[in-house]
Amino acid sequence: MRLSELLEYDSIVVQCHDNPDADALASGYGVYTYLKDRGKDVRFVYGGRFLIQKSNLVLMVTELEIPIEHVDALEAPELLVTVDCQYGEGNVTKFDAGTVAVIDHHQVSRDLPALNEVRSNLGACSTVVRELLQLEEIDINDDKTLATALYYGLLTDTNNFTEISHPLDKDLRDDAAFDRSLLVRFRNANLSLRELEIAGAALMNYHYHEEHRFAVAMAEPCDPNILGMISDLMLEVDTVDTCLVYSVLPFGVKISVRSCVKEVKASELAEFITEGIGSGGGHLEKAGGFIQMELLEKAMSRLDGSQGGDAGNGDGDMQNGVSGRIRKYLLDRMEEYFDGVQILYAKDYAIDMDGMAEYAKKKIPLGYVEAARVFPVGTRVCIRTLEGDLDVRISEDLYIMIGIRGEVYPNDRAKFERSYDRLDVPYVFSGEYPPVVKDVMEGRNVSLIPYAKRCISSGEVHIYARELERRVKVFTAWDEEKYMLGKAGDYLAARTDDLHDIYVIEGNIFHRTYEKTGG
């Protein structure tokens, strides 16, 4: 959906969820501004029993002059646009309308109207709205108030940017020309005495798993940043390597995850906890996510409501009912995460050849970029892709490969020339997010695509590979600090000429790029 499709309606109401947070206010304001500037009769509203009271949100509405109204009833408009929520969900008052549109970033839990833009892989609805505005050739930095609102919406909904993984979220974080003095005021009006009490209570009531050295605690409903503060403090305990802090809300569960060991990426753990029932992500050490209550209840349906294991330090009030079932579910998922994975350190690992077969790369076109043609040698750059950010320093021999799905990985000249034949034609990108190089010092973005050419495998490099039946973390020989994650259906691979060059290939990519040899 494009915002311009909404312009055929004249009477329009933009609605965010009840008890709006900063992301709801920002994204709703972005849609409202677009429609208002185009002469539409538009209102920005929210329903529910409670007025906006949190100090940072009151300050945000006042200082940015966001024209939001609290309403108990609404005369049916021609068009109702729900933003940061989905029409008919439990966290948004249902108003009648001639036509309904949905703009959101949460998991889809019900049928959507024809007019919808739901991006569940993004960290905030503010990013969705920024992308919709860009499609209409609108630069948010032309309006400092709007840029400040969207930046703050992303910041708060991703726990101070610790939960972002999608490059579009990172682009908003890096590109927004926001009012720094206002952001300082917003961020320093974030903690109330009541929230201080919530943090203290959560830290006094926790579950600790001695074998896996993780802790889990529940906090009363609070701002996501408070969850992050609690988990930061919990991770400072000498026997805690990983922690999960969560808060049960009427419409879902907000989680905050922390890790201080390289064997657990906080972002990956958050994705595992929320898989199929919400969304999660972030950084290596800090991450978080949100679980939708409807989907969680379905996932918990197999549970009988009984308490789950020993619950140390006074959390007996969570033993029964919904809270107890949620607690048991999260503890079970944490244990499943640690029990269900094999960790391999490729540099020292003697790979088991049982079940391995020999494969060669198919002769399919890929993309490559000679990095020194894009930036001067010695430049430190960040290559931003869907798979994450890759920090490299430009050298004469650095080649950047672009795979069949748009995945990006570094190569050197010698290996490239041994493994690929050049095709003297431009590379055509067809993925979701074209890879971008950011000059770390200057902060400018450069797309790789205009510099990319096509190449094809020479067939000289062979691998041994086998399909995975369980999760595997591989610390490769070229990066001993960050692991590659393989899931059931992916492939564990090793070069035939170097059995310590072990890595993971996604299942769908493997079948498209490799074929079994007669070896």
Side-chain angles (χ1 to χ4, degrees):
M1 185 192 80
R2 295 187 57 155
L3 290 177
S4 54
E5 296 178 51
L6 309 180
L7 297 179
E8 65 179 85
Y9 304 91
D10 292 316
S11 169
I12 306 174
V13 171
V14 178
Q15 180 189 8
C16 64
H17 54 75
D18 303 346
N19 304 311
D21 55 15
D23 186 40
L25 293 172
S27 51
Y29 177 59
V31 176
Y32 169 90
T33 300
Y34 172 82
L35 296 170
K36 188 72 173 178
D37 288 349
R38 279 144 191 80
K40 298 302 174 181
D41 177 17
V42 58
R43 297 171 65 188
F44 182 22
V45 308
Y46 71 103
R49 294 185 296 166
F50 304 104
L51 297 176
I52 296 171
Q53 298 181 16
K54 199 168 187 301
S55 54
N56 65 315
L57 299 181
V58 172
L59 189 62
M60 178 186 181
V61 169
T62 302
E63 292 296 327
L64 299 181
E65 299 182 354
I66 297 176
I68 191 166
E69 311 169 48
H70 178 263
V71 296
D72 296 316
L74 192 68
E75 183 177 343
E78 291 180 37
L79 175 67
L80 177 71
V81 186
T82 65
V83 179
D84 198 33
C85 57
Q86 294 168 31
Y87 188 73
E89 282 191 326
N91 67 327
V92 55
T93 301
K94 190 173 183 179
F95 295 122
D96 292 332
T99 302
V100 173
V102 170
I103 300 174
D104 193 21
H105 73 114
H106 296 105
Q107 291 287 324
V108 176
S109 60
R110 58 184 65 247
D111 292 336
L112 294 171
L115 286 172
N116 77 81
E117 185 65 28
V118 179
R119 301 287 299 276
S120 302
N121 55 343
L122 297 181
C125 196
S126 293
T127 305
V128 183
V129 171
R130 193 261 182 126
E131 289 305 301
L132 289 173
L133 290 170
Q134 284 190 318
L135 285 174
E136 306 302 335
E137 299 183 351
I138 296 172
D139 185 350
I140 62 169
N141 290 334
D142 291 338
D143 181 347
K144 198 165 192 175
T145 297
L146 178 58
T148 301
L150 294 176
Y151 180 90
Y152 189 56
L154 174 65
L155 179 142
T156 56
D157 228 40
T158 59
N159 194 11
N160 288 315
F161 302 134
T162 62
E163 301 171 12
I164 63 174
S165 57
H166 198 284
L168 292 177
D169 290 319
K170 295 174 184 177
D171 287 347
L172 173 55
R173 176 196 64 188
D174 296 343
D175 299 342
F178 57 90
D179 188 319
R180 294 185 180 277
S181 62
L182 276 183
L183 255 294
V184 171
R185 293 181 62 193
F186 294 166
R187 297 180 73 168
N188 286 280
N190 201 42
L191 181 64
S192 67
L193 287 174
R194 174 60 186 144
E195 288 167 333
L196 187 61
E197 294 173 356
I198 289 172
L203 289 168
M204 292 177 64
N205 297 278
Y206 61 87
H207 174 99
Y208 178 67
H209 194 289
E210 186 173 1
E211 179 185 356
H212 296 311
R213 294 171 61 92
F214 71 75
V216 175
M218 186 191 81
E220 293 182 47
C222 60
D223 187 270
N225 292 324
I226 307 305
L227 286 185
M229 181 187 74
I230 297 169
S231 52
D232 285 339
L233 286 170
M234 185 169 285
L235 198 65
E236 293 191 15
V237 177
D238 59 349
T239 56
V240 174
D241 293 338
T242 310
C243 67
L244 166 68
V245 179
Y246 68 97
S247 183
V248 180
L249 308 172
F251 46 89
V253 178
K254 183 69 179 174
I255 68 170
S256 178
V257 176
R258 297 291 185 268
S259 172
C260 63
V261 291
K262 69 178 184 179
E263 286 76 13
V264 178
K265 293 179 184 176
S267 55
E268 186 240 323
L269 175 55
E271 291 171 2
F272 180 87
I273 295 293
T274 60
E275 185 176 5
I277 55 175
S279 59
H283 299 299
L284 296 178
E285 298 176 358
K286 299 183 178 185
F290 183 78
I291 299 170
Q292 289 192 219
M293 189 60 75
E294 279 188 41
L295 301 177
L296 176 60
E297 287 173 348
K298 293 177 182 178
M300 295 190 304
S301 61
R302 61 184 176 84
L303 303 178
D304 60 6
S306 62
Q307 69 179 38
D310 296 321
N313 297 304
D315 53 354
D317 59 319
M318 292 190 291
Q319 301 303 312
N320 301 303
V322 175
S323 292
R325 295 179 70 223
I326 292 173
R327 171 185 168 280
K328 182 181 188 306
Y329 180 85
L330 293 175
L331 285 171
D332 286 347
R333 288 293 284 170
M334 287 290 285
E335 291 193 23
E336 184 181 350
Y337 175 84
F338 284 95
D339 291 337
V341 66
Q342 179 185 15
I343 301 177
L344 306 180
Y345 301 90
K347 186 176 180 180
D348 304 312
Y349 182 68
I351 194 164
D352 182 2
M353 297 299 296
D354 185 37
M356 304 283 278
E358 186 174 334
Y359 294 84
K361 205 161 197 175
K362 295 180 181 178
K363 291 182 175 293
I364 56 177
L366 303 176
Y368 76 95
V369 176
E370 296 180 54
R373 293 182 178 271
V374 184
F375 287 99
V377 172
T379 306
R380 189 162 59 92
V381 301
C382 170
I383 303 173
R384 178 158 295 170
T385 74
L386 279 171
E387 286 69 38
D389 286 357
L390 178 66
D391 295 321
V392 297
R393 189 175 294 276
I394 302 298
S395 70
E396 285 283 0
D397 293 329
L398 177 64
Y399 279 47
I400 301 172
M401 307 298 300
I402 306 174
I404 60 172
R405 203 185 59 184
E407 68 276 13
V408 174
Y409 50 95
N411 205 342
D412 64 58
R413 185 188 302 271
K415 286 185 178 179
F416 175 85
E417 292 179 348
R418 186 168 67 246
S419 305
Y420 297 96
D421 294 325
R422 303 169 190 262
L423 302 176
D424 193 21
V425 293
Y427 171 75
V428 178
F429 180 78
S430 59
E432 177 184 345
Y433 182 88
V436 167
V437 176
K438 177 180 287 290
D439 186 320
V440 175
M441 296 301 294
E442 296 186 6
R444 64 188 181 99
N445 293 337
V446 177
S447 172
L448 286 175
I449 302 306
Y451 300 90
K453 295 183 179 179
R454 295 170 75 181
C455 62
I456 193 167
S457 172
S458 63
E460 296 299 319
V461 176
H462 289 205
I463 63 170
Y464 296 118
R466 63 176 170 85
E467 186 173 359
L468 293 172
E469 297 180 352
R470 59 181 298 198
R471 291 166 54 245
V472 170
K473 297 178 181 180
V474 178
F475 288 91
T476 64
W478 61 85
D479 190 344
E480 298 180 46
E481 294 300 317
K482 298 176 186 176
Y483 58 80
M484 298 181 72
L485 177 68
K487 302 178 181 179
D490 293 339
Y491 280 76
L492 183 67
R495 286 177 63 111
T496 57
D497 57 355
D498 182 359
L499 294 182
H500 287 289
D501 191 353
I502 304 169
Y503 48 96
V504 172
I505 304 172
E506 288 187 29
N508 60 342
I509 294 178
F510 182 85
H511 292 296
R512 293 170 61 185
T513 56
Y514 287 90
E515 57 189 355
K516 188 177 290 188
T517 69

mmCIF file with all atom_site columns, all heavy atoms in Angstrom, residues 80-99:
data_model
loop_
_atom_site.group_PDB
_atom_site.id
_atom_site.type_symbol
_atom_site.label_atom_id
_atom_site.label_alt_id
_atom_site.label_comp_id
_atom_site.label_asym_id
_atom_site.label_entity_id
_atom_site.label_seq_id
_atom_site.pdbx_PDB_ins_code
_atom_site.Cartn_x
_atom_site.Cartn_y
_atom_site.Cartn_z
_atom_site.occupancy
_atom_site.B_iso_or_equiv
_atom_site.pdbx_formal_charge
_atom_site.auth_seq_id
_atom_site.auth_comp_id
_atom_site.auth_asym_id
_atom_site.auth_atom_id
_atom_site.pdbx_PDB_model_num
ATOM 1   N N   . LEU A 1 80 ? -10.802 5.079  8.069  1.00 0.00 ? 80 LEU A N   1
ATOM 2   C CA  . LEU A 1 80 ? -10.136 4.976  9.360  1.00 0.00 ? 80 LEU A CA  1
ATOM 3   C C   . LEU A 1 80 ? -8.804  4.271  9.148  1.00 0.00 ? 80 LEU A C   1
ATOM 4   O O   . LEU A 1 80 ? -8.761  3.153  8.622  1.00 0.00 ? 80 LEU A O   1
ATOM 5   C CB  . LEU A 1 80 ? -10.988 4.190  10.356 1.00 0.00 ? 80 LEU A CB  1
ATOM 6   C CG  . LEU A 1 80 ? -10.361 3.956  11.740 1.00 0.00 ? 80 LEU A CG  1
ATOM 7   C CD1 . LEU A 1 80 ? -10.305 5.261  12.526 1.00 0.00 ? 80 LEU A CD1 1
ATOM 8   C CD2 . LEU A 1 80 ? -11.156 2.908  12.526 1.00 0.00 ? 80 LEU A CD2 1
ATOM 9   N N   . VAL A 1 81 ? -7.705  4.912  9.541  1.00 0.00 ? 81 VAL A N   1
ATOM 10  C CA  . VAL A 1 81 ? -6.367  4.340  9.386  1.00 0.00 ? 81 VAL A CA  1
ATOM 11  C C   . VAL A 1 81 ? -5.822  4.004  10.769 1.00 0.00 ? 81 VAL A C   1
ATOM 12  O O   . VAL A 1 81 ? -5.549  4.907  11.565 1.00 0.00 ? 81 VAL A O   1
ATOM 13  C CB  . VAL A 1 81 ? -5.408  5.315  8.675  1.00 0.00 ? 81 VAL A CB  1
ATOM 14  C CG1 . VAL A 1 81 ? -4.073  4.626  8.392  1.00 0.00 ? 81 VAL A CG1 1
ATOM 15  C CG2 . VAL A 1 81 ? -6.020  5.855  7.391  1.00 0.00 ? 81 VAL A CG2 1
ATOM 16  N N   . THR A 1 82 ? -5.711  2.718  11.079 1.00 0.00 ? 82 THR A N   1
ATOM 17  C CA  . THR A 1 82 ? -5.108  2.344  12.358 1.00 0.00 ? 82 THR A CA  1
ATOM 18  C C   . THR A 1 82 ? -3.597  2.242  12.168 1.00 0.00 ? 82 THR A C   1
ATOM 19  O O   . THR A 1 82 ? -3.118  1.598  11.233 1.00 0.00 ? 82 THR A O   1
ATOM 20  C CB  . THR A 1 82 ? -5.661  1.008  12.891 1.00 0.00 ? 82 THR A CB  1
ATOM 21  O OG1 . THR A 1 82 ? -5.303  -0.057 12.013 1.00 0.00 ? 82 THR A OG1 1
ATOM 22  C CG2 . THR A 1 82 ? -7.170  1.067  13.018 1.00 0.00 ? 82 THR A CG2 1
ATOM 23  N N   . VAL A 1 83 ? -2.862  2.877  13.060 1.00 0.00 ? 83 VAL A N   1
ATOM 24  C CA  . VAL A 1 83 ? -1.409  2.966  12.959 1.00 0.00 ? 83 VAL A CA  1
ATOM 25  C C   . VAL A 1 83 ? -0.784  2.383  14.219 1.00 0.00 ? 83 VAL A C   1
ATOM 26  O O   . VAL A 1 83 ? -1.201  2.696  15.332 1.00 0.00 ? 83 VAL A O   1
ATOM 27  C CB  . VAL A 1 83 ? -0.961  4.435  12.753 1.00 0.00 ? 83 VAL A CB  1
ATOM 28  C CG1 . VAL A 1 83 ? 0.551   4.527  12.672 1.00 0.00 ? 83 VAL A CG1 1
ATOM 29  C CG2 . VAL A 1 83 ? -1.594  5.004  11.500 1.00 0.00 ? 83 VAL A CG2 1
ATOM 30  N N   . ASP A 1 84 ? 0.224   1.532  14.046 1.00 0.00 ? 84 ASP A N   1
ATOM 31  C CA  . ASP A 1 84 ? 0.898   0.813  15.127 1.00 0.00 ? 84 ASP A CA  1
ATOM 32  C C   . ASP A 1 84 ? -0.049  -0.163 15.818 1.00 0.00 ? 84 ASP A C   1
ATOM 33  O O   . ASP A 1 84 ? 0.149   -0.519 16.974 1.00 0.00 ? 84 ASP A O   1
ATOM 34  C CB  . ASP A 1 84 ? 1.502   1.783  16.153 1.00 0.00 ? 84 ASP A CB  1
ATOM 35  C CG  . ASP A 1 84 ? 2.571   1.120  17.027 1.00 0.00 ? 84 ASP A CG  1
ATOM 36  O OD1 . ASP A 1 84 ? 3.275   0.226  16.523 1.00 0.00 ? 84 ASP A OD1 1
ATOM 37  O OD2 . ASP A 1 84 ? 2.682   1.479  18.216 1.00 0.00 ? 84 ASP A OD2 1
ATOM 38  N N   . CYS A 1 85 ? -1.059  -0.597 15.111 1.00 0.00 ? 85 CYS A N   1
ATOM 39  C CA  . CYS A 1 85 ? -2.005  -1.585 15.627 1.00 0.00 ? 85 CYS A CA  1
ATOM 40  C C   . CYS A 1 85 ? -2.832  -2.103 14.458 1.00 0.00 ? 85 CYS A C   1
ATOM 41  O O   . CYS A 1 85 ? -2.767  -1.562 13.354 1.00 0.00 ? 85 CYS A O   1
ATOM 42  C CB  . CYS A 1 85 ? -2.916  -0.990 16.706 1.00 0.00 ? 85 CYS A CB  1
ATOM 43  S SG  . CYS A 1 85 ? -3.853  0.462  16.171 1.00 0.00 ? 85 CYS A SG  1
ATOM 44  N N   . GLN A 1 86 ? -3.628  -3.151 14.725 1.00 0.00 ? 86 GLN A N   1
ATOM 45  C CA  . GLN A 1 86 ? -4.456  -3.744 13.679 1.00 0.00 ? 86 GLN A CA  1
ATOM 46  C C   . GLN A 1 86 ? -5.919  -3.683 14.096 1.00 0.00 ? 86 GLN A C   1
ATOM 47  O O   . GLN A 1 86 ? -6.261  -4.023 15.236 1.00 0.00 ? 86 GLN A O   1
ATOM 48  C CB  . GLN A 1 86 ? -4.002  -5.183 13.406 1.00 0.00 ? 86 GLN A CB  1
ATOM 49  C CG  . GLN A 1 86 ? -2.604  -5.239 12.816 1.00 0.00 ? 86 GLN A CG  1
ATOM 50  C CD  . GLN A 1 86 ? -1.988  -6.614 12.793 1.00 0.00 ? 86 GLN A CD  1
ATOM 51  O OE1 . GLN A 1 86 ? -2.695  -7.617 12.664 1.00 0.00 ? 86 GLN A OE1 1
ATOM 52  N NE2 . GLN A 1 86 ? -0.666  -6.689 12.933 1.00 0.00 ? 86 GLN A NE2 1
ATOM 53  N N   . TYR A 1 87 ? -6.746  -3.255 13.185 1.00 0.00 ? 87 TYR A N   1
ATOM 54  C CA  . TYR A 1 87 ? -8.176  -3.043 13.448 1.00 0.00 ? 87 TYR A CA  1
ATOM 55  C C   . TYR A 1 87 ? -8.812  -4.308 14.036 1.00 0.00 ? 87 TYR A C   1
ATOM 56  O O   . TYR A 1 87 ? -8.648  -5.400 13.491 1.00 0.00 ? 87 TYR A O   1
ATOM 57  C CB  . TYR A 1 87 ? -8.877  -2.674 12.144 1.00 0.00 ? 87 TYR A CB  1
ATOM 58  C CG  . TYR A 1 87 ? -10.322 -2.253 12.294 1.00 0.00 ? 87 TYR A CG  1
ATOM 59  C CD1 . TYR A 1 87 ? -10.649 -1.017 12.831 1.00 0.00 ? 87 TYR A CD1 1
ATOM 60  C CD2 . TYR A 1 87 ? -11.357 -3.091 11.874 1.00 0.00 ? 87 TYR A CD2 1
ATOM 61  C CE1 . TYR A 1 87 ? -11.972 -0.616 12.944 1.00 0.00 ? 87 TYR A CE1 1
ATOM 62  C CE2 . TYR A 1 87 ? -12.683 -2.704 11.987 1.00 0.00 ? 87 TYR A CE2 1
ATOM 63  C CZ  . TYR A 1 87 ? -12.985 -1.467 12.533 1.00 0.00 ? 87 TYR A CZ  1
ATOM 64  O OH  . TYR A 1 87 ? -14.305 -1.081 12.657 1.00 0.00 ? 87 TYR A OH  1
ATOM 65  N N   . GLY A 1 88 ? -9.513  -4.138 15.162 1.00 0.00 ? 88 GLY A N   1
ATOM 66  C CA  . GLY A 1 88 ? -10.185 -5.263 15.794 1.00 0.00 ? 88 GLY A CA  1
ATOM 67  C C   . GLY A 1 88 ? -9.382  -5.944 16.877 1.00 0.00 ? 88 GLY A C   1
ATOM 68  O O   . GLY A 1 88 ? -9.894  -6.826 17.575 1.00 0.00 ? 88 GLY A O   1
ATOM 69  N N   . GLU A 1 89 ? -8.101  -5.571 17.065 1.00 0.00 ? 89 GLU A N   1
ATOM 70  C CA  . GLU A 1 89 ? -7.296  -6.168 18.121 1.00 0.00 ? 89 GLU A CA  1
ATOM 71  C C   . GLU A 1 89 ? -7.748  -5.669 19.493 1.00 0.00 ? 89 GLU A C   1
ATOM 72  O O   . GLU A 1 89 ? -8.398  -4.622 19.616 1.00 0.00 ? 89 GLU A O   1
ATOM 73  C CB  . GLU A 1 89 ? -5.815  -5.843 17.919 1.00 0.00 ? 89 GLU A CB  1
ATOM 74  C CG  . GLU A 1 89 ? -5.149  -6.680 16.850 1.00 0.00 ? 89 GLU A CG  1
ATOM 75  C CD  . GLU A 1 89 ? -3.630  -6.519 16.882 1.00 0.00 ? 89 GLU A CD  1
ATOM 76  O OE1 . GLU A 1 89 ? -3.171  -5.402 17.194 1.00 0.00 ? 89 GLU A OE1 1
ATOM 77  O OE2 . GLU A 1 89 ? -2.928  -7.501 16.597 1.00 0.00 ? 89 GLU A OE2 1
ATOM 78  N N   . GLY A 1 90 ? -7.367  -6.413 20.524 1.00 0.00 ? 90 GLY A N   1
ATOM 79  C CA  . GLY A 1 90 ? -7.806  -6.088 21.870 1.00 0.00 ? 90 GLY A CA  1
ATOM 80  C C   . GLY A 1 90 ? -7.219  -4.815 22.436 1.00 0.00 ? 90 GLY A C   1
ATOM 81  O O   . GLY A 1 90 ? -7.743  -4.280 23.414 1.00 0.00 ? 90 GLY A O   1
ATOM 82  N N   . ASN A 1 91 ? -6.141  -4.308 21.849 1.00 0.00 ? 91 ASN A N   1
ATOM 83  C CA  . ASN A 1 91 ? -5.509  -3.109 22.405 1.00 0.00 ? 91 ASN A CA  1
ATOM 84  C C   . ASN A 1 91 ? -5.918  -1.826 21.693 1.00 0.00 ? 91 ASN A C   1
ATOM 85  O O   . ASN A 1 91 ? -5.306  -0.775 21.908 1.00 0.00 ? 91 ASN A O   1
ATOM 86  C CB  . ASN A 1 91 ? -3.978  -3.248 22.346 1.00 0.00 ? 91 ASN A CB  1
ATOM 87  C CG  . ASN A 1 91 ? -3.450  -3.256 20.925 1.00 0.00 ? 91 ASN A CG  1
ATOM 88  O OD1 . ASN A 1 91 ? -4.115  -3.742 20.015 1.00 0.00 ? 91 ASN A OD1 1
ATOM 89  N ND2 . ASN A 1 91 ? -2.258  -2.734 20.733 1.00 0.00 ? 91 ASN A ND2 1
ATOM 90  N N   . VAL A 1 92 ? -6.958  -1.908 20.851 1.00 0.00 ? 92 VAL A N   1
ATOM 91  C CA  . VAL A 1 92 ? -7.402  -0.725 20.126 1.00 0.00 ? 92 VAL A CA  1
ATOM 92  C C   . VAL A 1 92 ? -8.932  -0.691 20.105 1.00 0.00 ? 92 VAL A C   1
ATOM 93  O O   . VAL A 1 92 ? -9.575  -1.677 19.745 1.00 0.00 ? 92 VAL A O   1
ATOM 94  C CB  . VAL A 1 92 ? -6.815  -0.697 18.689 1.00 0.00 ? 92 VAL A CB  1
ATOM 95  C CG1 . VAL A 1 92 ? -7.150  -1.973 17.923 1.00 0.00 ? 92 VAL A CG1 1
ATOM 96  C CG2 . VAL A 1 92 ? -7.302  0.510  17.928 1.00 0.00 ? 92 VAL A CG2 1
ATOM 97  N N   . THR A 1 93 ? -9.508  0.427  20.545 1.00 0.00 ? 93 THR A N   1
ATOM 98  C CA  . THR A 1 93 ? -10.966 0.582  20.539 1.00 0.00 ? 93 THR A CA  1
ATOM 99  C C   . THR A 1 93 ? -11.493 0.489  19.115 1.00 0.00 ? 93 THR A C   1
ATOM 100 O O   . THR A 1 93 ? -10.946 1.114  18.201 1.00 0.00 ? 93 THR A O   1
ATOM 101 C CB  . THR A 1 93 ? -11.359 1.937  21.153 1.00 0.00 ? 93 THR A CB  1
ATOM 102 O OG1 . THR A 1 93 ? -10.864 1.997  22.492 1.00 0.00 ? 93 THR A OG1 1
ATOM 103 C CG2 . THR A 1 93 ? -12.869 2.108  21.159 1.00 0.00 ? 93 THR A CG2 1
ATOM 104 N N   . LYS A 1 94 ? -12.557 -0.292 18.930 1.00 0.00 ? 94 LYS A N   1
ATOM 105 C CA  . LYS A 1 94 ? -13.087 -0.516 17.585 1.00 0.00 ? 94 LYS A CA  1
ATOM 106 C C   . LYS A 1 94 ? -14.142 0.526  17.253 1.00 0.00 ? 94 LYS A C   1
ATOM 107 O O   . LYS A 1 94 ? -15.185 0.620  17.905 1.00 0.00 ? 94 LYS A O   1
ATOM 108 C CB  . LYS A 1 94 ? -13.677 -1.919 17.472 1.00 0.00 ? 94 LYS A CB  1
ATOM 109 C CG  . LYS A 1 94 ? -14.041 -2.323 16.057 1.00 0.00 ? 94 LYS A CG  1
ATOM 110 C CD  . LYS A 1 94 ? -14.457 -3.792 15.981 1.00 0.00 ? 94 LYS A CD  1
ATOM 111 C CE  . LYS A 1 94 ? -14.741 -4.216 14.550 1.00 0.00 ? 94 LYS A CE  1
ATOM 112 N NZ  . LYS A 1 94 ? -15.117 -5.656 14.465 1.00 0.00 ? 94 LYS A NZ  1
ATOM 113 N N   . PHE A 1 95 ? -13.865 1.325  16.248 1.00 0.00 ? 95 PHE A N   1
ATOM 114 C CA  . PHE A 1 95 ? -14.797 2.336  15.755 1.00 0.00 ? 95 PHE A CA  1
ATOM 115 C C   . PHE A 1 95 ? -15.258 1.947  14.352 1.00 0.00 ? 95 PHE A C   1
ATOM 116 O O   . PHE A 1 95 ? -14.504 1.354  13.582 1.00 0.00 ? 95 PHE A O   1
ATOM 117 C CB  . PHE A 1 95 ? -14.134 3.716  15.701 1.00 0.00 ? 95 PHE A CB  1
ATOM 118 C CG  . PHE A 1 95 ? -13.746 4.270  17.041 1.00 0.00 ? 95 PHE A CG  1
ATOM 119 C CD1 . PHE A 1 95 ? -12.431 4.609  17.310 1.00 0.00 ? 95 PHE A CD1 1
ATOM 120 C CD2 . PHE A 1 95 ? -14.693 4.473  18.035 1.00 0.00 ? 95 PHE A CD2 1
ATOM 121 C CE1 . PHE A 1 95 ? -12.054 5.128  18.537 1.00 0.00 ? 95 PHE A CE1 1
ATOM 122 C CE2 . PHE A 1 95 ? -14.344 4.996  19.274 1.00 0.00 ? 95 PHE A CE2 1
ATOM 123 C CZ  . PHE A 1 95 ? -13.015 5.322  19.532 1.00 0.00 ? 95 PHE A CZ  1
ATOM 124 N N   . ASP A 1 96 ? -16.499 2.308  14.018 1.00 0.00 ? 96 ASP A N   1
ATOM 125 C CA  . ASP A 1 96 ? -17.026 2.048  12.677 1.00 0.00 ? 96 ASP A CA  1
ATOM 126 C C   . ASP A 1 96 ? -16.407 3.016  11.672 1.00 0.00 ? 96 ASP A C   1
ATOM 127 O O   . ASP A 1 96 ? -16.050 4.150  12.008 1.00 0.00 ? 96 ASP A O   1
ATOM 128 C CB  . ASP A 1 96 ? -18.553 2.201  12.663 1.00 0.00 ? 96 ASP A CB  1
ATOM 129 C CG  . ASP A 1 96 ? -19.250 1.106  13.468 1.00 0.00 ? 96 ASP A CG  1
ATOM 130 O OD1 . ASP A 1 96 ? -18.674 0.005  13.575 1.00 0.00 ? 96 ASP A OD1 1
ATOM 131 O OD2 . ASP A 1 96 ? -20.348 1.361  13.994 1.00 0.00 ? 96 ASP A OD2 1
ATOM 132 N N   . ALA A 1 97 ? -16.322 2.562  10.433 1.00 0.00 ? 97 ALA A N   1
ATOM 133 C CA  . ALA A 1 97 ? -15.789 3.406  9.361  1.00 0.00 ? 97 ALA A CA  1
ATOM 134 C C   . ALA A 1 97 ? -16.234 2.845  8.022  1.00 0.00 ? 97 ALA A C   1
ATOM 135 O O   . ALA A 1 97 ? -16.508 1.638  7.899  1.00 0.00 ? 97 ALA A O   1
ATOM 136 C CB  . ALA A 1 97 ? -14.269 3.476  9.422  1.00 0.00 ? 97 ALA A CB  1
ATOM 137 N N   . GLY A 1 98 ? -16.289 3.722  7.010  1.00 0.00 ? 98 GLY A N   1
ATOM 138 C CA  . GLY A 1 98 ? -16.639 3.254  5.679  1.00 0.00 ? 98 GLY A CA  1
ATOM 139 C C   . GLY A 1 98 ? -15.592 2.297  5.136  1.00 0.00 ? 98 GLY A C   1
ATOM 140 O O   . GLY A 1 98 ? -15.903 1.236  4.593  1.00 0.00 ? 98 GLY A O   1
ATOM 141 N N   . THR A 1 99 ? -14.342 2.659  5.280  1.00 0.00 ? 99 THR A N   1
ATOM 142 C CA  . THR A 1 99 ? -13.211 1.848  4.834  1.00 0.00 ? 99 THR A CA  1
ATOM 143 C C   . THR A 1 99 ? -12.147 1.884  5.922  1.00 0.00 ? 99 THR A C   1
ATOM 144 O O   . THR A 1 99 ? -11.976 2.902  6.603  1.00 0.00 ? 99 THR A O   1
ATOM 145 C CB  . THR A 1 99 ? -12.630 2.383  3.513  1.00 0.00 ? 99 THR A CB  1
ATOM 146 O OG1 . THR A 1 99 ? -13.665 2.395  2.514  1.00 0.00 ? 99 THR A OG1 1
ATOM 147 C CG2 . THR A 1 99 ? -11.479 1.507  3.020  1.00 0.00 ? 99 THR A CG2 1
#
